[in-house]
Amino acid sequence: FCFCFSPRMASGMQEKQYTPSLLSFFIYNPTFGPREGEEEKKILFYHPSDVEKNEKIRNVGLCEAIVQFTRTFCPTKPAKSLHTQKNRQFFFEPENNFWIVMVVRNPMIEKPNKDGKSQTIEYQEEEILDTVYGAVVRQCYSMYKLFNGTFARAMETGGVELLMQKLEKFFYKYLQTLHLQSSDLLDVFGGISFFPLDKMTYLKIQSFVNRVEESLSLVKYTAFLYNDQLIWSGLEQDDMRILYKYLTTSLFPRHTEPELAGRDSPLRPELAGNLLHYGRFLTGPLNLNDPEAKFRFPKIFVSAEDGYEELHLIVYKAMSAAACFMISASVELTRDFCEQLDKLVGPQLTLLASDICEQFTINRRISGPEKEPQFKFIYFNHMNLAEKSTIHMRKTASVCLTSVHPDLMKILGDINCDFARVDEDEEIIVKAMTDYWVVGKKSDQRELYVILNQKNANLIEVNEEVKKLCATQFNNIFFLD
């Protein structure tokens, strides 16, 4: 148990603040250019691409030297990050001899000098958390692997040339979606938000999945989401975790709902009998009636007993419900199959969306109007990857908004680092300078972080508030006192 003060959050009025930003991102393999004069062959991808060749070689050489140097102290655990005044470098070896390096510029403050003309730049070296940005680098690789398979697979199929093409094609787009200024504890967890459902509605969804998999025997795996939250998945946890991130931060935000968004009104019984439905493909054909429609779906790679398998990813949506169907990539998907799927899934998914919405509305009425609580929290369960946050507002394709000050998010990250160092269950309470209390609890593979805004509270009162929160929000989850 520890108790500490946080002397942060004070800054002047005329200062200009700059958030962390991506300086460079590169992938290299030291075995590809072992001789002098061949150093450029090691570089498989480099962003930004307009950097002069010698500078690329110099930067990659420096990283290689750092990794080799740190190996002398601990051969099994090479360097993960390098801290300098202006930036921080993150190293990750996802496959043997393949290294990914991300260089992030430290946040900085520009302060006017007394003469009013010149500026002094102050780098905030301790503001960046290794755990957060290390997780971002690992996510980059996981996302690449989801759509392309491993680096080794590309090498086997078409050698270095094919791998470089794939890296260029994927990372050129993907790096534009990295918003390092809003990376935080949720990136470390990489969790999944589950939709709370009553047993009857859950059984209806399970029955729907079984019916579809029986009628369309090509379907190997299914996942079902409502309102960007997961309800059912037939995939392995780690595969679903990265697919969930892709769906909720990239695919769904790009296809914002038409008029029906957020208003899945329960359907009138007479409509349900007709085959009226609001289903549509989010991947593949935009319009089934278009004679020129293309029946190409994105391919994904998921783990299988003998390594990995390649699958077509069909994402089909009706109102706020989305079903993902995964089919072996060796099968060619035709117009007939897509029409069959549309006819079978469209009406059922529309009715299910309506049922879930009705159930959700009833539950909201029973629980009464939501008042703005005095606390905000993040909860994560390492066993099933369940994540819940009242700190984060809606994630969009471009940014994930939080409703608390970045300095408080930094404290949450610091507490998480402390938890990661030890295996025992523990609790940490921090009093921030701005009258906020921050509480972290770790118990039996679960972590809970609470931010309380109670100016005059003392330690005992804060503890009581957290107990109350656990009793109301997590009454079926055991937290050690």
Side-chain angles (χ1 to χ4, degrees), residues 1-3 185 375-378 391 408 411-412 415-416 419 426-432 436-442 447-452 458-459 461-467 469-470:
F1 180 88
C2 94
F3 179 66
L185 193 55
F375 48 74
K376 294 183 185 295
F377 68 84
I378 293 178
I391 286 173
L408 290 170
I411 295 173
L412 295 186
I415 295 175
N416 172 257
F419 285 166
E426 60 177 329
E427 181 175 52
I428 294 175
I429 299 180
V430 178
K431 172 79 166 77
Y436 281 96
W437 289 84
V438 182
V439 181
K441 275 171 97 73
K442 179 186 175 191
E447 294 181 31
L448 175 67
Y449 300 84
V450 186
I451 295 175
L452 294 141
N458 59 33
L459 198 56
E461 287 162 348
V462 167
N463 216 14
E464 283 306 312
E465 280 298 322
V466 174
K467 274 186 187 164
L469 166 69
C470 290

Side-chain angles (χ1 to χ4, degrees), residues 14 110-120:
Q14 301 84 7
E110 219 174 60
K111 294 181 173 175
N113 285 342
K114 287 187 177 132
D115 59 13
K117 292 172 192 165
S118 55
Q119 306 274 4
T120 304

Side-chain angles (χ1 to χ4, degrees), residues 22-30 32 39-51 53 55-57 59-60 63 98-103 137 140-141 144 151 155 160-176 178:
L22 183 68
L23 284 179
S24 59
F25 184 98
F26 47 93
I27 299 169
Y28 72 92
N29 185 322
F32 288 179
E39 290 87 357
E40 198 182 2
K41 289 182 182 171
K42 297 175 184 177
I43 306 169
L44 300 167
F45 173 79
Y46 201 103
H47 165 87
S49 55
D50 55 3
V51 171
K53 182 178 106 174
E55 193 186 333
K56 289 181 185 176
I57 291 171
N59 289 340
V60 168
C63 293
F98 286 99
W99 285 88
I100 299 178
V101 180
M102 179 171 82
V103 184
V137 179
C140 289
Y141 172 71
Y144 169 86
F151 295 161
M155 291 290 293
V160 178
E161 207 170 295
L162 179 69
L163 176 59
M164 288 173 79
Q165 282 170 14
K166 281 180 173 290
L167 292 172
E168 182 65 42
K169 189 180 170 190
F170 177 81
F171 282 110
Y172 173 72
K173 281 186 182 163
Y174 185 72
L175 292 178
Q176 293 172 29
L178 281 190

Side-chain angles (χ1 to χ4, degrees), residues 174-186:
Y174 185 72
L175 292 178
Q176 293 172 29
T177 69
L178 281 190
H179 295 278
L180 298 181
Q181 71 281 6
S182 57
S183 298
D184 59 33
L185 193 55
L186 288 196

Side-chain angles (χ1 to χ4, degrees), residues 4 263 448 475:
C4 48
R263 291 197 315 233
L448 175 67
N475 56 352

